[in-house]
């Protein structure tokens, strides 16, 4: 069934249901619910209905827009500083592509064909690709981080958890606000937000425009461009209908990021040129400038909600999103054309979700249907001109996804204190791929304006499809002795579909039946990888003590992670020529277990916050071929982007000053050693480190205006967040093989690739707001 046909039918059904609604009241919006929680309880929608944070039997971190503003948070990655066992980072060469990991599950490869392990949601719409998923923080109501598999209510690719970015709904008063920021590296941000009711307030309109800029933290010494700069235009617009029998919201957003490509910092001397290691880790020397770095993303969503009775709610969420990116990735970060990778990413998705909610007496239930039709096209050259003059390996990976799911989740109040939650989701997931790899001589491929001429048959010319079906259950039992305490035990399962390696080399497929012919089925088997699954068991305790001045949330979890998908690429030989090959494996299984604690104490003008996460993440089985022999190397592999310890402590003291209020805040974030890949790398793996932040904010009476000074990473710590490595290593232990000079030995290109990307250095900036 075509996507537009399905959307038309479901929208007509939804409209018919809403037109029959005749209830005299409209359920509270999240904004209204938060405002009415005068006892300080935080309202969240982790289970697709409004509940207090204390009552939800899920490990969840929720941070309000006001808290984010007081901390000077700039984008969604800042949430990882406060949520235990969570890693959110901008991916290597861009500001906008997101790498996300929760409790040891995630994915950092942005190429089409590989799916995320953490679901990112913008107002309940799943973002299918990581490009443009680093959402800048403005006009936000709150951000929720759900830890552990969320397969029943949130579906595919939430095997590690989900991050929900919730924008503000409009109230029935006119508002106009200005926010401006200036700081380190000529950071200059401006945000304009306005909203107003029309007539009697049933119709409300609003929007925001953001201009976010910053100079570089370093310089590309070859092109003289700023490195790690920021150049973004963004905006959101909303039209809402708040009627007595239904709520409708039509929203759109647009982001255009024209920041320069982020160039990496070399950690080894150039093997051919002798180029030294630069003193400033934010400087680079990459010479690739075409195509220009450009990320453009936009989308629209229609949310409808109707209430035919007090106990029944119907919802429809219809969305279309699209993003296009061009990126010049200079792997070796040197002027020579030695593993230069110009790339295009073009993604599109259309989704429809229908929900029916029932809430009466002891039964609180939700059932629904979800449909997604998505395409992801990745095109890139790998230019190895210093290896063979003018040699390019071009890849075209066009992956189409169609998925449908039916789900239900019901909570039964067995008594005033005990409740049982049961849920399940059945997912049908279809992947269709066209993968082409073609070699060129004399320059780059024509796709990127190169003068290269195709030679030889394609090393991959594959068309194939696979379908995956999976039922993912959930169950939890909660005991609430009173409104301030919740103890729970839960089981949940997460699932991520399989697919085809977009960088795979079909000509390297083994002749499985020994007939001397490489058949399509043998190529398909070679390029395929299987679905992965997580079975998670969790116990938790949430409490509010001392007249609700202290909030404490504790969780312990154990997860069995099977058929772990591990994408990657290595240097190899294709048809007798040096090249690179995709290597994707279902490594076997891993064990993920740990504890988490979050606390908040409010006493007078003082607020203390803190979180602590520990995870024992370990491969139990990891099969790889060493010398054509399948070998279990689990003892020598690590769970990437998953530090064993994460934590933060923060303090905020507010005191009246004149007719306003001053808030003084400080915080410290800690992460233990982080492995960038499964194979340990002594150059790229980041040792334990801490970051210190501080803020001083003055709020005028009635919050008419405010001005604040914010300091981030005040100790100016240098820490690696990602990188590339193509050097010779021991295949079992990962220990680097060194040459006679004690330098790493290149495996791809002549200069050697050992390139790191770093988190932001010390930043100090001033932010002022005006509200009318």
């Amino acid at each position: 069934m075509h996507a537009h046909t399905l959307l038309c039918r479901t929208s007509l059904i939804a409209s018919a249901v809403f037109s029959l609604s005749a209830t005299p009241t409209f359920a509270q919006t999240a904004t209204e619910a938060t405002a009415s929680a005068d006892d300080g309880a935080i309202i969240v929608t982790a289970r697709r209905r409004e509940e207090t944070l204390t009552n939800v039997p899920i490990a969840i971190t929720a941070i309000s827009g006001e808290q984010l503003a007081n901390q000077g948070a700039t984008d969604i990655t800042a949430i990882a500083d406060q949520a235990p066992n969570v890693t959110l980072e901008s991916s290597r060469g861009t500001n906008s592509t997101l790498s996300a990991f929760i409790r040891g599950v995630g994915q950092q490869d942005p190429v089409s064909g590989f799916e995320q392990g953490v679901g990112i949601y913008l107002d309940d719409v799943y973002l299918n690709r990581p490009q443009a998923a680093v959402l800048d923080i403005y006009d936000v109501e709150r951000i929720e981080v759900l830890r552990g598999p969320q397969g029943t209510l949130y579906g595919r690719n939430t095997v590690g958890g989900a991050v929900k970015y919730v924008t503000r709904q409009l109230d029935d008063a006119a508002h106009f606000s200005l926010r401006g920021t200036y700081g380190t590296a000529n950071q200059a941000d401006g945000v304009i937000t306005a909203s107003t009711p029309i007539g009697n307030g049933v119709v409300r309109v609003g929007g925001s425009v953001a201009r976010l800029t910053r100079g570089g933290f370093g310089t590309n010494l070859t092109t003289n461009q700023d490195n790690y700069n920021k150049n973004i235009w963004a905006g959101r617009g909303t039209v809402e209908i708040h009627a007595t029998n239904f709520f409708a919201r039509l929203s759109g957003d647009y982001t255009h990021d024209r920041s320069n490509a982020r160039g990496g910092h070399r950690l080894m001397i150039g093997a051919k040129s002798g180029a030294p290691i630069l003193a400033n880790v934010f400087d680079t020397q990459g010479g690739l400038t075409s195509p220009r770095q450009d990320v453009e993303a936009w989308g629209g969503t229609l949310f409808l909600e109707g209430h035919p009775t007090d106990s029944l709610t119907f919802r429809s969420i219809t969305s279309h999103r699209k993003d296009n990116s061009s990126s010049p990735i200079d792997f070796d970060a040197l002027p020579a054309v030695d593993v230069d990778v110009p790339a295009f990413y073009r993604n599109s998705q259309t989704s429809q979700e229908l929900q029916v909610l029932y809430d009466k007496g002891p039964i609180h239930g939700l059932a629904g249907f979800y449909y997604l039709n998505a395409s992801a096209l990745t095109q890139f050259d790998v230019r190895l001109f210093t290896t063979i003059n003018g040699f390019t390996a071009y890849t075209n990976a066009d992956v189409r996804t169609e998925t449908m799911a039916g789900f239900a989740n019901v909570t039964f109040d067995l008594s005033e204190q005990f409740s049982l939650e049961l849920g399940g989701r059945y997912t049908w997931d279809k992947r269709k791929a066209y993968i082409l790899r073609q070699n060129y001589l004399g320059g780059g491929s024509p796709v990127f304006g190169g003068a290269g001429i195709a030679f030889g048959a394609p090393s991959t010319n594959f068309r194939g499809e696979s379908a995956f079906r999976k039922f993912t259950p959930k169950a939890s039992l909660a005991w609430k002795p009173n409104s301030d305490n919740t103890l729970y035990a839960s089981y949940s399962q997460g699932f991520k579909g399989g697919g085809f390696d977009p960088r795979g080399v079909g000509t390297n497929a083994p002749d499985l039946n020994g007939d001397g012919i490489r058949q399509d089925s043998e190529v398909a088997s070679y390029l395929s990888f299987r679905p992965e699954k997580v079975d998670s068991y969790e116990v938790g305790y949430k409490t509010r003590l001392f007249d609700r001045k202290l909030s404490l949330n504790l969780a312990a979890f154990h997860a069995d992670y099977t058929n772990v998908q591990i994408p990657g690429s290595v240097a190899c030989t294709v048809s007798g020529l040096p090249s690179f090959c995709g290597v994707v494996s279902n490594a076997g299984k891993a064990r993920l277990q740990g504890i988490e604690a979050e606390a908040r104490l409010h006493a007078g003008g003082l607020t203390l916050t803190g979180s602590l996460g520990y995870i024992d993440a370990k491969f139990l089985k990891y099969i790889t071929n060493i010398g054509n022999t399948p070998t279990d190397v689990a003892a020598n592999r690590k769970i990437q982007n998953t530090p064993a310890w994460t934590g933060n402590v923060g303090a905020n003291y507010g005191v009246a000053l004149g007719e306003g209020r001053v808030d003084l805040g400080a915080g410290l974030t800690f992460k233990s050693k982080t492995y960038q890949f499964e194979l340990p790398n002594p150059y790229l793996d980041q040792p334990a480190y801490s970051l210190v932040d501080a803020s001083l904010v003055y709020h005028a009476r009635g919050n008419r205006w405010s001005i604040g000074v914010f300091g981030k990473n005040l100790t100016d710590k240098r820490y690696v967040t990602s990188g590339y490595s193509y050097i010779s290593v021991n295949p079992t232990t990962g220990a680097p093989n060194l040459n006679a000079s004690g330098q790493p030995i290149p495996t791809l290109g002549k200069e050697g690739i050992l390139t790191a990307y770093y988190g932001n250095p010390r930043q100090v900036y001033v932010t002022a707001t005006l509200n009318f």
Side-chain angles (χ1 to χ4, degrees):
M1 184 181 295
H2 293 296
H4 66 84
T5 303
L6 180 66
L7 289 178
C8 289
R9 292 181 182 177
T10 51
S11 294
L12 286 172
I13 294 171
S15 298
V17 170
F18 300 141
S19 66
L20 294 172
S21 301
T23 180
T25 60
F26 169 65
Q28 285 180 308
T29 67
T31 303
E32 292 164 343
T34 300
S36 67
D38 54 9
D39 62 355
I42 299 174
I43 304 298
V44 296
T45 56
R47 294 197 290 182
R48 300 294 183 99
R49 64 179 190 263
E50 293 165 4
E51 301 173 279
T52 65
L53 182 63
T54 301
N55 288 336
V56 180
I58 297 173
I60 175 174
T61 300
I63 306 173
S64 70
E66 182 181 0
Q67 289 174 308
L68 293 167
N70 281 338
Q71 296 162 7
T74 56
D75 62 51
I76 199 170
T77 63
I79 307 307
D81 293 341
Q82 300 178 59
N85 292 324
V86 174
T87 298
L88 301 173
E89 299 284 0
S90 298
S91 179
R92 293 183 276 225
T94 77
N95 289 320
S96 303
T97 299
L98 182 67
S99 292
F101 289 78
I102 297 179
R103 290 184 176 177
V105 181
Q107 214 282 102
Q108 67 165 321
D109 198 321
V111 178
S112 59
F114 301 131
E115 304 279 340
Q116 305 169 79
V118 173
I120 308 298
Y121 290 80
L122 175 58
D123 286 332
D124 278 331
V125 174
Y126 170 66
L127 304 185
N128 190 56
R129 301 298 302 155
Q131 286 82 22
V134 179
L135 303 172
D136 290 291
I137 291 176
Y138 65 97
D139 198 28
V140 61
E141 171 66 27
R142 69 186 181 279
I143 296 178
E144 301 175 13
V145 180
L146 287 60
R147 300 188 295 280
Q150 307 296 323
T152 298
L153 290 177
Y154 292 90
R156 63 194 300 274
N157 303 344
T158 57
V159 283
V163 179
K164 297 181 60 177
Y165 185 107
V166 183
T167 62
R168 296 185 189 278
Q169 291 191 9
L170 307 178
D171 62 22
D172 59 357
H175 300 278
F176 182 78
S177 67
L178 301 172
R179 188 184 83 196
T181 298
Y182 185 79
T184 302
N186 289 320
Q187 175 185 354
D189 299 339
V191 179
I192 301 174
T193 300
S195 65
T196 185
I198 297 177
N200 62 0
V202 172
V203 178
R204 306 169 189 178
V205 297
S208 296
V209 176
R211 178 69 170 128
L212 312 172
T213 66
R214 186 187 65 225
F217 298 135
T219 304
N220 185 317
L221 304 180
T222 300
T223 66
N224 204 36
Q225 292 181 334
D226 283 345
N227 200 29
Y228 288 79
N229 75 322
K230 197 169 187 177
N231 181 8
I232 295 174
W233 280 98
R236 295 194 186 106
T238 303
V239 178
E240 296 178 357
I241 298 176
H242 295 249
T244 56
N245 60 349
F246 74 95
F247 170 72
R249 188 189 206 204
L250 178 64
S251 59
D253 62 273
Y254 174 81
T255 300
H256 194 184
D257 183 353
R258 290 180 62 85
S259 310
N260 298 331
R262 292 202 303 176
H265 173 71
R266 287 182 61 84
L267 301 177
M268 63 178 287
I269 296 171
K272 181 180 179 181
S273 64
I277 299 173
L278 300 178
N280 183 357
V281 300
F282 297 106
D283 286 345
T284 191
Q285 298 182 83
L288 182 63
T289 58
S290 179
R292 177 186 170 89
Q293 179 90 356
D294 197 333
V295 180
E296 191 172 20
W298 60 95
T301 299
L302 175 62
F303 179 94
L304 303 173
E305 183 174 85
H307 303 267
T309 70
D310 290 342
S311 59
L312 197 60
T313 301
F314 292 96
R315 289 181 187 150
S316 171
I317 306 170
T318 307
S319 180
H320 178 74
R321 302 195 62 81
K322 193 170 185 179
D323 63 84
N324 293 320
S325 303
S326 58
S327 186
I329 310 170
D330 199 316
F331 274 58
D332 71 316
L334 286 174
V337 185
D338 189 48
V339 198
D340 284 8
V341 181
F344 291 143
Y345 304 92
R346 308 189 191 281
N347 306 309
S348 178
Q349 69 174 79
T350 301
S351 63
Q352 172 67 55
E353 185 166 359
L354 298 175
Q355 300 175 7
V356 180
L357 292 83
Y358 180 81
D359 191 348
K360 186 174 183 179
I363 300 176
H364 318 277
L366 179 150
F369 169 80
Y370 178 76
Y371 175 81
L372 172 73
N373 187 291
S375 63
L377 173 64
T378 300
Q379 299 168 300
F380 60 91
D381 282 358
V382 176
R383 298 176 178 175
L384 299 167
F385 292 5
T386 61
T387 302
I388 299 176
N389 187 33
F391 175 69
T392 294
Y394 166 71
T395 295
N396 180 101
D398 188 357
V399 179
R400 307 296 174 99
T401 297
E402 187 176 25
T403 186
M404 288 185 285
F407 57 93
N409 196 80
V410 182
T411 300
F412 303 91
D413 292 335
L414 304 177
S415 69
E416 290 185 358
Q417 295 182 339
F418 286 94
S419 62
L420 175 67
E421 179 183 13
L422 298 174
R425 188 182 191 103
Y426 183 82
T427 301
W428 176 82
D429 201 20
K430 183 179 180 180
R431 202 87 68 249
K432 184 182 293 186
Y434 168 55
I435 302 171
L436 173 70
R437 282 183 53 124
Q438 176 67 58
N439 291 335
Y440 289 85
L441 277 179
S445 72
V447 172
F448 295 95
I453 299 173
F455 77 97
S459 56
T460 304
N461 191 359
F462 171 77
R463 295 181 185 271
E465 63 180 61
S466 289
F468 310 95
R469 296 170 177 84
K470 182 66 177 176
F471 176 74
T472 50
K474 177 182 180 179
S476 71
L477 180 65
W479 177 46
K480 302 174 184 176
N482 53 53
S483 60
D484 289 334
N485 290 274
T486 298
L487 291 92
Y488 68 90
S490 68
Y491 164 77
S492 60
Q493 188 178 90
F495 156 77
K496 184 167 75 170
F500 304 98
D501 184 355
R503 288 184 289 242
V505 178
T507 56
N508 287 357
D511 183 6
L512 298 176
N513 60 11
D515 65 355
I517 301 174
R518 188 171 289 104
Q519 300 177 3
D520 289 345
S521 60
E522 293 170 330
V523 174
S525 176
Y526 180 66
L527 297 180
S528 298
F529 53 90
R530 301 187 302 278
E532 66 179 23
K533 183 184 71 169
V534 172
D535 290 283
S536 179
Y537 309 85
E538 180 173 317
V539 294
Y541 174 51
K542 299 184 176 184
T543 183
R544 290 187 289 175
L545 303 169
F546 307 118
D547 197 25
R548 298 183 173 179
K549 291 182 173 61
L550 173 64
S551 297
L552 180 63
N553 300 329
L554 305 173
F557 63 91
H558 173 95
D560 297 317
Y561 192 9
T562 54
N563 284 332
V564 184
Q565 297 171 6
I566 301 179
S569 59
V570 298
C572 64
T573 300
V574 179
S575 302
L577 295 173
S579 189
F580 81 105
C581 295
V583 178
V584 178
S585 62
N586 290 101
K589 57 184 178 180
R591 182 200 66 207
L592 311 168
Q593 58 188 17
I595 57 173
E596 296 163 346
E598 297 177 279
R600 179 183 178 88
L601 174 64
H602 184 74
L606 179 64
T607 301
L608 302 176
T609 60
S611 71
L612 179 67
Y614 169 75
I615 183 169
D616 175 19
K618 182 179 182 180
F619 281 108
L620 301 179
K621 183 180 180 182
Y622 193 120
I623 305 298
T624 189
N625 286 326
I626 297 180
N628 295 322
T629 301
T631 305
D632 188 349
V633 294
N636 300 106
R637 296 299 184 268
K638 303 295 183 181
I639 304 293
Q640 65 162 283
N641 283 286
T642 303
W645 291 94
T646 55
N648 80 84
V649 293
N652 187 90
Y653 183 71
V655 61
L657 180 64
E659 295 186 346
R661 186 184 83 251
V662 171
D663 287 308
L664 176 63
L668 181 143
T669 300
F670 170 80
K671 292 182 184 293
S672 62
K673 185 172 184 177
T674 304
Y675 297 93
Q676 304 299 336
F677 304 104
E678 285 72 24
L679 203 63
N681 186 305
Y683 301 97
L684 290 176
D685 294 339
Q686 174 60 46
Y689 69 96
S690 298
L691 302 178
V692 177
D693 300 337
S695 62
L696 178 64
V697 184
Y698 178 78
H699 300 271
R701 185 175 62 178
N703 204 30
R704 301 290 294 179
W705 61 272
S706 67
I707 187 167
V709 180
F710 303 91
K712 300 292 184 181
N713 187 9
L714 290 175
T715 61
D716 207 21
K717 177 67 180 178
R718 300 292 187 263
Y719 58 101
V720 175
T721 61
S722 56
Y724 295 112
S725 177
Y726 292 88
I727 59 174
S728 176
V729 299
N730 181 293
T732 300
T733 66
N737 297 317
L738 306 179
N739 61 22
S741 302
Q743 290 294 308
I745 300 171
T747 58
L748 183 62
K750 294 297 184 180
E751 294 285 8
I753 298 173
L754 194 57
T755 309
Y757 296 84
Y758 289 78
N760 290 358
R762 181 192 296 121
Q763 293 175 267
V764 178
Y765 46 92
V766 177
T767 295
T769 62
L770 286 172
N771 299 307
F772 301 95

